[in-house]
Amino acid sequence: MFNSMNHPVSETPHSTPSLSATTSCRGTSSDADDSPATSHRFGLTPISGFSSYRSLAVLYGHIGSVSSLALCGEFILSASQAKDIIVWQQPNLRQFTKFGQGDGSVKALVTVANKVFTAHQDSRIRVWKVSRSSENVFKLVDSLPTTKDYLGKFMKQSNYVQTRRHHRRLWIEHADSISCLAVHNGLIYSGSWDKTLKVWRISDLKCLESIKAHDDAINGLVASRGIVYSASADGKIKGWRKEGKSPHFLKGILEGHKNVSLNSVVTTEEGWLVYGGGSDGFVMGWLGNEEFNSWKIVCEVKAHQMAVLCMYLVGDYLCSGSADKSIRVWKREVGGGLSRVGVIRGHEGPVKCLQASPVSVGGGFMLYSGSLDKSLRVWWVAKNSNRKEESIQGLHHKG
């Protein structure tokens, strides 16, 4: 369960999902602001005559643009540039609680077991413990770097690095906004606009490594089979591998288009296929060999009219969100190519983040999208590769 990684899709005997008629609800959180959470839910009648993509809900409640999404058990978490994180309870999609206000604009979040890690514009990672036995279900328990990490390093000059002219920081600290997080093999990876990739151990929250990874801001991270891939505004995706107790080392560099920022990266579960989304609207794909030491471009498609901002892989389907306000659904072909099977429209602003359920529902999957229009939308997408390309127009409702 985590940001852009592909998950095995398990089949359940659910029929096509259905939701109640349109209703509005106020969140149960006691710290609700002047913009109470509102959800509009739609029955699964075909929209515009199509039946492969359906709008299930439009959720409002954030006072800023939605920046990141994550699944956490029965909850879907949506983070905002306005510092708040809303917890929506499934399947009724009502606001369960809200947390995280006042801790810096939230740029990314991931979940691990009973913990939630949130990355912030103030260069910190915050750790929240999830407990249903406590009144405060999402409780702040620590931040990274931890106080213990600071105290163990601040006295030694060799632990300081130059971040910019006349400024020095401990190497365990990020010097700019943390833009992305990834989880793999007991480790948390954080990528930052300061061009570094840092590695944290989940068990004790200790920073293990700081890698000078790119020549420009890191925009996306994903990990699979011992390799973490970082996508950067420098137009490159780099693969970093860890073997045993040794530090991570550079395994390979995947080159995008010249002078084009790579904003998102995803990989298949087996790790041999990597896709990157660029600011020129292209999605590029690379296929690696079993040793991950040789790569070839297998896909280069003009996916959107504007920048690709996010992607998510679920089974054989890749979903891409863009500054053009649309979501495109693609079917992976043998060899790594992509064929477009649909366009989802409905957001009134750029689509900033995507998340999908790993569980198959009614012959399809649940897709969640967050946007600069401050809404979270829920879609049901059919897994049917034999259909021609289709388009749906999401219903426009204001909260």
Side-chain angles (χ1 to χ4, degrees):
M1 170 184 60
F2 130 80
N3 69 354
S4 300
M5 279 188 64
N6 178 57
H7 299 282
V9 179
S10 56
E11 296 288 338
T12 60
H14 291 94
S15 59
T16 303
S18 63
L19 296 170
S20 63
T22 303
T23 59
S24 296
C25 64
R26 185 178 294 268
T28 58
S29 174
S30 60
D31 57 351
D33 51 58
D34 294 335
S35 301
T38 305
S39 64
H40 299 286
R41 293 184 289 279
F42 314 109
L44 278 178
T45 53
I47 297 174
S48 301
F50 297 125
S51 59
S52 285
Y53 311 93
R54 296 170 187 176
S55 177
L56 299 185
V58 185
L59 309 177
Y60 294 94
H62 287 292
I63 57 177
S65 58
V66 181
S67 57
S68 186
L69 300 169
L71 294 173
C72 182
E74 67 191 276
F75 303 115
I76 176 78
L77 277 55
S78 58
S80 166
Q81 297 282 12
K83 308 176 184 180
D84 58 324
I85 300 166
I86 295 180
V87 182
W88 308 91
Q89 189 164 28
Q90 301 185 90
N92 61 8
L93 299 173
R94 293 181 182 272
Q95 181 179 327
F96 178 78
T97 188
K98 182 187 288 189
F99 68 99
Q101 290 180 305
D103 290 327
S105 177
V106 185
K107 310 294 287 187
L109 74 161
V110 293
T111 60
V112 187
N114 67 333
K115 289 186 173 66
V116 178
F117 293 80
T118 57
H120 297 255
Q121 192 170 352
D122 64 6
S123 310
R124 305 277 288 180
I125 299 171
R126 288 172 174 82
V127 187
W128 311 80
K129 187 176 180 180
V130 185
S131 174
R132 294 301 297 267
S133 61
S134 169
E135 182 178 340
N136 188 7
V137 179
F138 292 83
K139 181 180 180 182
L140 180 64
V141 293
D142 220 326
S143 63
L144 307 183
T146 62
T147 301
K148 182 178 180 180
D149 232 355
Y150 271 118
L151 293 177
K153 293 181 172 63
F154 85 101
M155 291 289 289
K156 197 171 182 180
Q157 286 299 312
S158 61
N159 286 326
Y160 288 82
V161 294
Q162 194 86 25
T163 56
R164 57 184 185 271
R165 192 177 182 184
H166 306 309
H167 286 269
R168 287 167 61 82
R169 283 177 176 259
L170 289 172
W171 65 266
I172 61 176
E173 297 179 273
H174 277 297
D176 208 333
S177 295
I178 301 173
S179 54
C180 46
L181 298 171
V183 183
H184 192 56
N185 289 345
L187 301 173
I188 292 278
Y189 297 90
S190 58
S192 170
W193 292 354
D194 67 10
K195 312 172 189 177
T196 68
L197 170 65
K198 296 192 189 297
V199 185
W200 314 81
R201 189 163 53 207
I202 294 174
S203 60
D204 59 3
L205 305 179
K206 183 178 182 180
C207 186
L208 303 178
E209 298 179 57
S210 180
I211 304 168
K212 294 180 180 179
H214 287 273
D215 297 324
D216 209 332
I218 298 176
N219 296 323
L221 290 172
V222 69
S224 178
R225 292 194 62 186
I227 299 181
V228 58
Y229 298 95
S230 55
S232 170
D234 65 12
K236 298 180 177 68
I237 294 173
K238 294 186 178 182
W240 308 89
R241 184 155 203 169
K242 180 175 177 60
E243 296 179 351
K245 295 183 179 180
S246 62
H248 288 75
F249 61 93
L250 183 61
K251 187 66 176 177
I253 301 176
L254 311 179
E255 297 272 358
H257 292 159
K258 188 176 181 180
N259 299 322
V260 171
S261 171
L262 287 172
N263 300 325
S264 180
V265 58
V266 294
T267 181
T268 53
E269 185 184 11
E270 66 277 4
W272 296 336
L273 264 172
V274 177
Y275 295 97
S279 59
D280 59 355
F282 274 82
V283 171
M284 300 180 67
W286 294 266
L287 179 65
N289 60 10
E290 291 190 18
E291 299 300 321
F292 299 102
N293 55 21
S294 177
W295 297 87
K296 64 178 180 179
I297 293 180
V298 294
C299 172
E300 192 171 0
V301 297
K302 179 67 172 176
H304 293 271
Q305 295 304 309
M306 299 176 71
V308 178
L309 301 180
C310 54
M311 297 187 296
Y312 197 92
L313 265 175
V314 53
D316 290 332
Y317 291 84
L318 184 147
C319 302
S320 58
S322 170
D324 67 12
K325 307 178 186 179
S326 74
I327 301 166
R328 309 272 169 142
V329 182
W330 309 83
K331 181 72 163 32
R332 283 198 296 128
E333 300 172 341
V334 176
L338 295 174
S339 59
R340 195 174 74 183
V341 296
V343 184
I344 299 175
R345 295 186 176 92
H347 279 294
E348 298 174 357
V351 180
K352 187 66 176 66
C353 49
L354 294 170
Q355 180 69 238
S357 170
V359 179
S360 182
V361 178
F365 60 90
M366 305 293 286
L367 178 67
Y368 308 87
S369 57
S371 169
L372 271 61
D373 65 12
K374 304 179 185 179
S375 76
L376 164 63
R377 288 181 178 250
V378 185
W379 316 86
W380 177 78
V381 182
K383 294 188 293 183
N384 187 344
S385 61
N386 295 322
R387 297 190 67 90
K388 294 181 179 179
E389 179 180 314
E390 296 185 351
S391 172
I392 68 165
Q393 201 75 25
L395 303 184
H396 294 274
H397 288 260
K398 291 290 186 182

